[in-house]
Coordinates of all heavy atoms in Angstrom, one line a residue:
K1 N -3.7 14.5 4.4 CA -2.8 13.4 4.4 C -3.4 12.1 3.8 O -2.8 11.4 3.0 CB -2.4 13.0 5.9 CG -1.6 11.8 6.1 CD -1.3 11.6 7.5 CE -0.7 10.2 7.7 NZ -0.6 9.8 9.2
Q2 N -4.7 11.9 4.1 CA -5.4 10.7 3.5 C -5.6 10.9 2.1 O -5.5 9.9 1.3 CB -6.7 10.5 4.3 CG -6.6 10.0 5.7 CD -5.8 8.8 5.8 OE1 -5.8 7.8 5.1 NE2 -4.9 8.8 6.8
R3 N -5.9 12.1 1.6 CA -6.0 12.3 0.1 C -4.7 12.1 -0.6 O -4.7 11.6 -1.6 CB -6.6 13.8 -0.1 CG -6.8 14.1 -1.5 CD -7.7 15.3 -1.6 NE -8.0 15.6 -3.1 CZ -7.4 16.6 -3.7 NH1 -6.7 17.4 -3.1 NH2 -7.7 16.7 -5.0
L4 N -3.6 12.6 0.1 CA -2.3 12.4 -0.5 C -1.9 10.9 -0.7 O -1.4 10.5 -1.7 CB -1.2 13.1 0.3 CG 0.2 13.2 -0.3 CD1 0.1 13.9 -1.6 CD2 1.1 14.0 0.7
I5 N -2.2 10.1 0.4 CA -2.0 8.6 0.3 C -2.8 8.1 -0.8 O -2.3 7.3 -1.6 CB -2.3 8.0 1.7 CG1 -1.3 8.4 2.7 CG2 -2.4 6.5 1.6 CD1 -1.7 8.0 4.2
S6 N -4.1 8.5 -0.9 CA -4.9 8.0 -2.0 C -4.4 8.3 -3.4 O -4.3 7.5 -4.3 CB -6.4 8.5 -1.8 OG -7.1 8.2 -2.9
K7 N -3.9 9.5 -3.6 CA -3.3 10.0 -4.8 C -2.1 9.2 -5.1 O -1.8 8.9 -6.3 CB -3.0 11.5 -4.8 CG -4.2 12.4 -4.7 CD -4.8 12.5 -6.0 CE -5.9 13.5 -6.1 NZ -6.5 13.7 -7.3
N8 N -1.2 8.9 -4.1 CA -0.1 8.1 -4.3 C -0.4 6.7 -4.8 O 0.3 6.2 -5.7 CB 0.8 8.1 -3.0 CG 2.1 7.5 -3.3 OD1 2.8 8.0 -4.1 ND2 2.5 6.5 -2.5
D9 N -1.4 6.1 -4.2 CA -1.9 4.8 -4.7 C -2.4 4.9 -6.2 O -1.9 4.0 -7.0 CB -3.1 4.3 -3.9 CG -2.8 3.9 -2.5 OD1 -1.6 3.7 -2.2 OD2 -3.7 3.8 -1.7
E10 N -3.1 6.0 -6.5 CA -3.5 6.2 -7.9 C -2.3 6.4 -8.8 O -2.2 5.8 -9.9 CB -4.4 7.3 -8.0 CG -4.9 7.6 -9.4 CD -5.8 8.8 -9.5 OE1 -6.1 9.4 -8.5 OE2 -6.0 9.3 -10.7
F11 N -1.3 7.1 -8.4 CA -0.1 7.5 -9.2 C 0.7 6.1 -9.5 O 1.0 5.9 -10.7 CB 0.8 8.4 -8.4 CG 2.1 8.7 -9.0 CD1 2.1 9.3 -10.3 CD2 3.3 8.5 -8.4 CE1 3.3 9.7 -10.9 CE2 4.5 8.8 -9.0 CZ 4.5 9.4 -10.3
V12 N 0.9 5.3 -8.6 CA 1.7 4.1 -8.9 C 0.9 3.1 -9.8 O 1.5 2.4 -10.6 CB 2.3 3.4 -7.6 CG1 3.3 4.3 -6.9 CG2 1.2 2.9 -6.7
R13 N -0.4 3.0 -9.5 CA -1.2 2.3 -10.4 C -1.3 2.7 -11.8 O -1.1 1.9 -12.8 CB -2.7 2.2 -9.8 CG -3.6 1.3 -10.7 CD -5.1 1.4 -10.2 NE -5.6 2.8 -10.1 CZ -6.0 3.7 -11.1 NH1 -5.8 3.3 -12.3 NH2 -6.4 4.8 -10.8
R14 N -1.4 4.0 -12.0 CA -1.4 4.6 -13.3 C -0.1 4.4 -14.1 O 0.0 4.2 -15.3 CB -1.8 6.1 -13.2 CG -3.2 6.4 -12.8 CD -4.2 6.8 -13.8 NE -3.7 7.6 -14.9 CZ -3.8 8.9 -14.9 NH1 -4.4 9.6 -14.0 NH2 -3.4 9.6 -16.0
L15 N 1.0 4.5 -13.3 CA 2.3 4.3 -13.9 C 2.4 2.9 -14.5 O 2.8 2.7 -15.6 CB 3.4 4.6 -12.9 CG 3.8 6.0 -12.6 CD1 4.8 6.1 -11.5 CD2 4.2 6.8 -13.9
A16 N 2.0 1.9 -13.7 CA 2.1 0.5 -14.1 C 1.2 0.2 -15.2 O 1.5 -0.4 -16.2 CB 1.7 -0.4 -12.9
E17 N 0.0 0.9 -15.3 CA -0.9 0.7 -16.4 C -0.3 1.2 -17.7 O -0.7 0.6 -18.8 CB -2.3 1.5 -16.1 CG -3.1 0.8 -15.1 CD -4.3 1.7 -14.7 OE1 -4.4 2.9 -15.0 OE2 -5.2 1.1 -14.0
V18 N 0.6 2.1 -17.7 CA 1.2 2.6 -19.0 C 1.9 1.5 -19.6 O 2.0 1.4 -20.9 CB 2.2 3.7 -18.6 CG1 3.1 4.0 -19.8 CG2 1.4 5.0 -18.2
G19 N 2.5 0.5 -18.9 CA 3.3 -0.6 -19.4 C 2.5 -1.6 -20.1 O 3.1 -2.3 -21.0
I20 N 1.3 -1.9 -19.7 CA 0.6 -3.0 -20.3 C 0.4 -3.0 -21.8 O 0.8 -4.0 -22.5 CB -0.8 -3.2 -19.6 CG1 -0.6 -3.7 -18.1 CG2 -1.7 -4.2 -20.3 CD1 -1.8 -3.7 -17.2
P21 N -0.1 -1.9 -22.4 CA -0.2 -1.9 -23.9 C 1.1 -2.0 -24.6 O 1.2 -2.6 -25.6 CB -0.9 -0.6 -24.2 CG -0.8 0.2 -23.0 CD -0.7 -0.7 -21.8
V22 N 2.2 -1.4 -24.0 CA 3.6 -1.5 -24.6 C 4.0 -3.0 -24.6 O 4.4 -3.5 -25.6 CB 4.6 -0.7 -23.8 CG1 5.9 -0.9 -24.3 CG2 4.2 0.8 -23.8
I23 N 3.8 -3.6 -23.5 CA 4.2 -5.1 -23.5 C 3.3 -5.9 -24.5 O 3.9 -6.7 -25.2 CB 4.0 -5.6 -22.0 CG1 5.1 -5.1 -21.1 CG2 4.0 -7.2 -22.0 CD1 4.8 -5.4 -19.6
D24 N 2.0 -5.7 -24.5 CA 1.2 -6.5 -25.4 C 1.6 -6.2 -26.9 O 1.6 -7.2 -27.7 CB -0.3 -6.1 -25.2 CG -0.8 -6.7 -23.8 OD1 -0.1 -7.5 -23.2 OD2 -1.9 -6.1 -23.4
Q25 N 1.8 -5.0 -27.2 CA 2.1 -4.7 -28.6 C 3.5 -5.3 -29.0 O 3.7 -5.8 -30.1 CB 2.2 -3.1 -28.8 CG 0.9 -2.5 -28.8 CD 0.9 -1.0 -28.6 OE1 2.0 -0.4 -28.4 NE2 -0.2 -0.3 -28.6
R26 N 4.5 -5.1 -28.1 CA 5.8 -5.7 -28.4 C 5.8 -7.2 -28.5 O 6.5 -7.8 -29.4 CB 6.8 -5.3 -27.3 CG 7.2 -3.8 -27.3 CD 8.0 -3.5 -28.5 NE 8.4 -2.1 -28.5 CZ 9.7 -1.6 -28.7 NH1 10.6 -2.6 -29.0 NH2 9.9 -0.4 -28.8
I27 N 5.1 -7.9 -27.7 CA 5.0 -9.3 -27.8 C 4.4 -9.7 -29.1 O 4.8 -10.7 -29.7 CB 4.2 -9.9 -26.6 CG1 5.1 -9.8 -25.3 CG2 3.9 -11.4 -26.8 CD1 4.6 -10.2 -24.0
S28 N 3.3 -9.2 -29.5 CA 2.6 -9.5 -30.7 C 3.4 -9.2 -31.9 O 3.2 -9.9 -32.9 CB 1.2 -8.9 -30.8 OG 1.3 -7.5 -30.9
A29 N 4.3 -8.2 -31.8 CA 5.2 -7.9 -33.0 C 6.4 -8.8 -33.1 O 7.0 -8.7 -34.2 CB 5.6 -6.4 -32.9
A30 N 6.7 -9.6 -32.2 CA 7.9 -10.4 -32.2 C 7.9 -11.4 -33.3 O 6.9 -12.1 -33.5 CB 8.1 -11.1 -30.9
Q31 N 8.9 -11.4 -34.2 CA 9.0 -12.4 -35.2 C 9.6 -13.7 -34.6 O 10.5 -13.5 -33.7 CB 9.9 -11.8 -36.4 CG 9.4 -10.6 -37.1 CD 10.3 -10.2 -38.2 OE1 10.4 -10.9 -39.2 NE2 11.0 -9.1 -38.0
G32 N 9.3 -14.8 -35.2 CA 9.9 -16.0 -34.8 C 8.9 -17.0 -34.3 O 7.7 -16.7 -34.4
D33 N 9.4 -18.1 -33.7 CA 8.4 -19.1 -33.3 C 8.2 -19.3 -31.9 O 7.6 -20.3 -31.4 CB 8.8 -20.5 -33.9 CG 10.2 -20.9 -33.5 OD1 10.8 -20.1 -32.7 OD2 10.7 -21.9 -33.9
S34 N 8.5 -18.2 -31.1 CA 8.1 -18.4 -29.7 C 6.6 -18.2 -29.5 O 5.9 -17.5 -30.2 CB 8.9 -17.2 -28.9 OG 10.3 -17.4 -28.8
D35 N 6.2 -18.8 -28.4 CA 4.8 -18.8 -28.0 C 4.5 -17.4 -27.5 O 5.1 -17.0 -26.5 CB 4.6 -19.8 -26.9 CG 3.1 -19.9 -26.4 OD1 2.3 -19.1 -26.9 OD2 2.8 -20.8 -25.6

């Protein structure tokens, strides 16, 4: 049970980590004069 809880923590963290490079790449690619 404790191992499963730990794996669940890792799972949600890893899912969120997937989004960071996507966000960074999309922001840097935006054309225009936004900050």
Side-chain angles (χ1 to χ4, degrees):
K1 176 183 166 188
Q2 292 307 314
R3 185 164 180 249
L4 190 57
I5 290 169
S6 174
K7 292 284 187 180
N8 192 51
D9 290 345
E10 179 184 352
F11 177 58
V12 298
R13 178 188 50 78
R14 295 256 323 263
L15 285 175
E17 287 173 347
V18 165
I20 291 175
V22 174
I23 288 170
D24 292 345
Q25 291 165 359
R26 291 290 183 132
I27 289 174
S28 66
Q31 296 182 69
D33 59 358
S34 286
D35 182 354

